[in-house]
């Protein structure tokens, strides 16, 4: 029995629930041996496992074709057909995979059922992000991707990450993108009309028409082929049965007490926090915070440096010329953009 | 309450993450609008974040979620720099077309 002493538990960020799950897992794997563990999960899915690689590859090909149909190409685009094919591929693949799902998923009650709608929305919205011809709508669809993946995080009981994702991505980053899109498309439409691509003849309704470089994808066939070969390769590895790796779990209290904590200054938790860890009433936010500040202090410092550098860099890159040189304005009023004049 | 998660369930979440990543790659290669290209890199970050949180839940180890915080940090920094760059490039050529900078191919 490696259950640690009570005093060691105060050092740890590892809760009783996780610890007992870890013990259970180790006992199972000890009694059966790793090969039997593996064989058990294979036996459940024997038929499905044999056909699974082919199903995944076929689904990758069909998904690639669906995306290819949805890609903007200027002329006729079978968008609806592509969406239909993509949805059918996704649904068929999930139906096929559902046969090898166990009855007990290990998630909270019914949480896995929500995986399907959230994942479907995320994938569909992602497809629209890269196929929509108007940047503003692409950004809005990306917000949909963010919302759906926040829902996926909730089913994984990662509440803090779900809401942080919504606030930071959906709130801050996407608003910044919107600003730039509005800025660029607005002045692009008024000052210079379509410097590249074919000139369009009906410029009366130019406000609603997408720009030429948005309406035609660049090398859609090659792009889809590359992307979905990558996807097929990834999926072939992912759907091998995986076993939880006890070494990858949070370190045991013994390890933390004897190896980690002896090498650094004493980072003893306050008794109140330690008590809540022990009786398992500590929440997700606090767990993430403990992990962040106890085990990754250097990472926080580096993140701060990166943010500072990018802040300074963004200011330097996007800085306008503070004042154009006086002789430039005096001699020639027709070139208000000195940078543009160089090209 | 928090129990072990099945390997097949993990694979489902990894599937979603991989599809988001692959779509991001396709979009980055295929689209010609600079802003959309950077939006696609954000989508790749999303796929990675989904995978990280799923692994975190599978191994019952909160470091996965902590790493998502770092991914968010990098994404924010990247968005700031990339959009600054896009604004700069747009000001030079008055277009968001990536092909306008084809001369950089050398």
């Amino acid at each position: 029995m490696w259950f640690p002493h009570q005093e060691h538990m105060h050092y740890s960020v590892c809760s009783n629930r996780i610890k007992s799950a870890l013990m259970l897992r180790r006992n199972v794997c000890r009694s059966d041996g790793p090969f039997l563990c593996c064989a058990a999960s294979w036996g459940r899915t024997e038929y499905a496992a044999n056909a699974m690689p082919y199903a995944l590859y076929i689904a990758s090909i069909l998904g690639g074709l669906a995306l290819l149909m949805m890609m903007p190409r200027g002329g006729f685009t079978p968008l609806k057909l592509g969406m239909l094919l993509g949805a059918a591929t996704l649904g068929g693949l999930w139906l096929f995979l559902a046969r090898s799902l166990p009855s007990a998923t290990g998630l909270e009650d019914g949480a896995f059922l929500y995986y399907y709608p959230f994942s479907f929305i995320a994938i569909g919205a992602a497809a629209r992000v890269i196929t929509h011809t108007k940047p503003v709508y692409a950004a809005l669809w990306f917000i949909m991707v963010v919302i759906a993946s926040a829902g996926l995080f909730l089913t994984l009981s990662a509440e803090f990450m779900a809401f942080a994702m919504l606030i930071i991505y959906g709130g801050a980053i996407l608003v910044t993108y919107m600003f730039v899109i509005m800025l660029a498309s607005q002045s692009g439409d008024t000052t210079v009309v379509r410097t590249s691509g074919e000139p369009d003849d009906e410029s009366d309704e130019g406000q609603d028409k997408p720009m030429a470089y948005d309406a035609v994808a660049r090398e859609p066939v090659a792009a889809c082929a590359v992307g979905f070969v990558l996807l097929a390769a990834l999926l072939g590895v992912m759907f091998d049965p995986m076993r939880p790796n006890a070494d990858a779990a949070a370190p045991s209290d013994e390890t933390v007490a004897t190896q980690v904590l002896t090498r650094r200054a004493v980072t003893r938790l306050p008794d109140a926090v330690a008590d809540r860890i022990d009786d398992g009433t500590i929440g997700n936010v606090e767990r993430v915070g403990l992990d962040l500040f106890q085990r990754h202090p250097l990472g926080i410092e580096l993140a701060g440096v990166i943010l500072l550098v990018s802040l300074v860099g963004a200011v330097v890159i996007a800085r306008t010329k503070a004042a154009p040189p006086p002789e430039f304005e005096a001699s020639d009023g027709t070139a208000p953009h000195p940078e543009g004049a160089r090209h | 309450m928090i129990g072990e998660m099945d390997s097949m369930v993990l694979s489902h979440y990894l599937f979603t993450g991989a599809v988001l990543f692959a779509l991001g790659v396709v979009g980055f290669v295929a689209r010609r609008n600079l802003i959309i290209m950077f939006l696609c890199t954000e989508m790749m970050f999303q796929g990675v974040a989904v995978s990280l949180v799923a692994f975190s839940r599978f191994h019952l180890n909160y470091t996965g979620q902590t790493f998502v915080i770092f991914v968010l940090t990098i994404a924010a920094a990247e968005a700031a720099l990339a959009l600054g760059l896009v604004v700069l490039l747009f000001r030079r050529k008055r277009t968001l077309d990536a092909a306008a900078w084809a001369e950089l191919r050398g």
Side-chain angles (χ1 to χ4, degrees):
Chain A
M1 201 67 176
W2 52 275
F3 205 81
H5 299 302
Q6 193 66 24
E7 66 214 51
H8 285 160
M9 291 173 64
H10 289 255
Y11 287 106
S12 163
V13 293
C14 178
S15 84
N16 278 338
R17 285 177 301 181
I18 291 184
K19 222 175 318 178
S20 54
L22 199 61
M23 284 174 64
L24 182 73
R25 175 190 305 158
R26 283 187 181 164
N27 289 340
V28 166
C29 284
R30 231 176 248 151
S31 61
D32 288 351
F35 294 108
L36 283 185
C37 275
C38 198
S41 65
W42 272 100
R44 185 180 70 212
T45 65
E46 182 136 24
Y47 170 71
N50 287 336
M52 192 175 287
Y54 301 105
L56 291 172
Y57 296 149
I58 292 172
S60 296
I61 294 172
L62 288 180
L65 283 179
L67 191 66
L68 191 58
M69 286 185 197
M70 293 169 69
M71 277 287 178
R73 61 190 59 182
F76 170 69
T77 306
L79 183 65
K80 293 268 164 51
L81 200 61
M83 283 183 194
L84 209 62
L85 179 60
T89 305
L90 205 54
L93 183 63
W94 276 337
L95 278 182
F96 177 79
L97 292 176
R99 295 194 304 182
S100 46
L101 272 178
S103 53
T105 58
L107 295 182
E108 280 68 23
D109 298 331
F112 187 66
L113 281 185
Y114 290 97
Y115 163 81
Y116 291 106
F118 282 135
S119 184
F120 184 80
I121 293 172
I123 293 174
R128 280 312 271 152
V129 169
I130 65 173
T131 55
H132 210 289
T133 52
K134 290 179 191 156
V136 175
Y137 287 88
L140 288 177
W141 279 111
F142 185 75
I143 294 181
M144 206 67 211
V145 176
V146 172
I147 293 173
S149 46
L152 285 179
F153 290 175
L154 282 183
T155 66
L156 290 167
S157 47
E159 292 91 4
F160 173 70
M161 284 330 300
F163 290 105
M165 192 64 100
L166 271 184
I167 293 168
I168 299 177
Y169 254 112
I173 297 184
L174 259 296
V175 167
T176 319
Y177 269 92
M178 283 298 208
F179 267 124
V180 175
I181 290 173
M182 300 284 182
L183 194 77
S185 59
Q186 183 195 14
S187 48
D189 270 348
T190 51
T191 57
V192 175
V193 187
R194 286 158 190 80
T195 53
S196 73
E198 66 271 20
D200 74 342
D201 27 15
E202 67 259 50
S203 52
D204 310 333
E205 42 197 350
Q207 283 303 110
D208 277 351
K209 273 182 67 81
M211 306 286 273
Y213 51 82
D214 278 327
V216 184
R218 172 181 58 193
E219 303 280 353
V221 179
C224 287
V226 166
F228 280 81
V229 165
L230 170 72
L231 182 63
L234 284 177
L235 292 185
V237 180
M238 270 172 201
F239 279 86
D240 274 349
M242 279 176 257
R243 284 175 302 113
N245 182 0
D247 294 334
S252 73
D253 290 339
E254 273 180 335
T255 315
V256 173
T258 60
Q259 295 180 21
V260 180
L261 289 181
T262 51
R263 278 191 278 115
R264 63 169 73 168
V266 179
T267 57
R268 197 186 166 93
L269 288 176
D271 282 341
V273 178
D275 287 345
R276 297 185 55 212
I277 290 181
D278 288 344
D279 57 22
T281 56
I282 193 164
N284 173 264
V285 180
E286 294 153 300
R287 300 302 304 267
V288 175
L290 278 177
D291 190 78
L292 178 63
F293 284 102
Q294 281 208 318
R295 301 189 56 201
H296 304 281
L298 183 64
I300 298 173
E301 305 289 335
L302 286 179
V305 172
I306 287 174
L307 282 178
L308 180 67
V309 168
S310 70
L311 181 74
V312 175
V315 169
V316 170
I317 287 177
R319 180 187 50 181
T320 51
K321 291 278 189 292
E327 70 273 9
F328 199 81
E329 266 189 349
S331 65
D332 188 7
T334 60
H337 295 286
E339 305 102 326
R342 261 184 259 138
H343 291 279
Chain B
M1 191 172 77
I2 289 193
E4 274 190 78
M5 178 175 156
D6 189 79
S7 140
M8 209 50 209
V9 176
L10 170 69
S11 298
H12 275 72
Y13 283 96
L14 293 185
F15 165 77
T16 306
V19 170
L20 286 184
F21 189 90
L23 286 178
V25 170
V26 173
F28 189 82
V29 175
R31 293 306 297 266
R32 296 162 61 194
N33 189 322
L34 284 172
I35 295 179
I36 304 285
M37 287 168 72
F38 284 113
L39 211 55
C40 288
T41 61
E42 304 285 337
M43 206 149 71
M44 290 191 252
F45 279 129
Q46 280 286 319
V48 172
V50 170
S51 301
L52 278 176
V53 173
F55 272 126
S56 156
R57 179 67 181 77
F58 182 66
H59 290 299
L60 299 173
N61 187 340
Y62 283 82
T63 301
Q65 297 182 31
T66 308
F67 274 19
V68 177
I69 296 179
F70 292 130
V71 169
L72 277 180
T73 309
I74 300 299
E78 183 251 350
L81 280 180
L83 290 177
L85 206 57
V86 166
V87 167
L88 177 81
L89 296 180
F90 179 77
R91 220 185 283 137
R92 295 257 168 114
K93 297 237 171 167
R94 312 303 295 172
T95 177
L96 288 175
D97 192 358
W101 295 92
E103 73 225 39
L104 291 183
R105 262 186 297 205

